[in-house]
Amino acid sequence: MPAGAAEIEPRSWGQFLLKFIISHPAIAGAMPATTRVDHGRENLASARAPLPDAKMRERMVAYIKSV
């Protein structure tokens, strides 16, 4: 996980990315597919606060571009 990710409390990379998606103002909703109950629970937990704000999303994008 990148430095500062703890601010949004992701428990996995999936949550990290899903928190980015669902917090983005251009996105009305997200429907991640899964056939596993544990993944469904993890996806639902992604919607719990804290979610990234605009500055955090900028840092998330910068991190992904740097990898």
Side-chain angles (χ1 to χ4, degrees):
M1 242 8 107
E7 293 176 33
I8 58 170
E9 301 174 9
R11 294 184 190 151
S12 67
W13 278 102
Q15 280 190 352
F16 177 80
L17 297 170
L18 194 50
K19 281 178 173 275
F20 176 90
I21 293 166
I22 63 176
S23 69
H24 199 285
I27 304 297
M31 296 175 57
T34 184
T35 58
R36 294 180 44 173
V37 173
D38 59 326
H39 288 175
R41 288 184 179 128
E42 182 179 343
N43 292 343
L44 285 172
S46 299
R48 292 192 191 112
L51 293 174
D53 59 12
K55 287 190 182 267
M56 171 61 92
R57 283 192 305 274
E58 287 175 14
R59 293 193 330 239
M60 294 166 87
V61 168
Y63 175 78
I64 296 299
K65 286 182 176 181
S66 75
V67 188

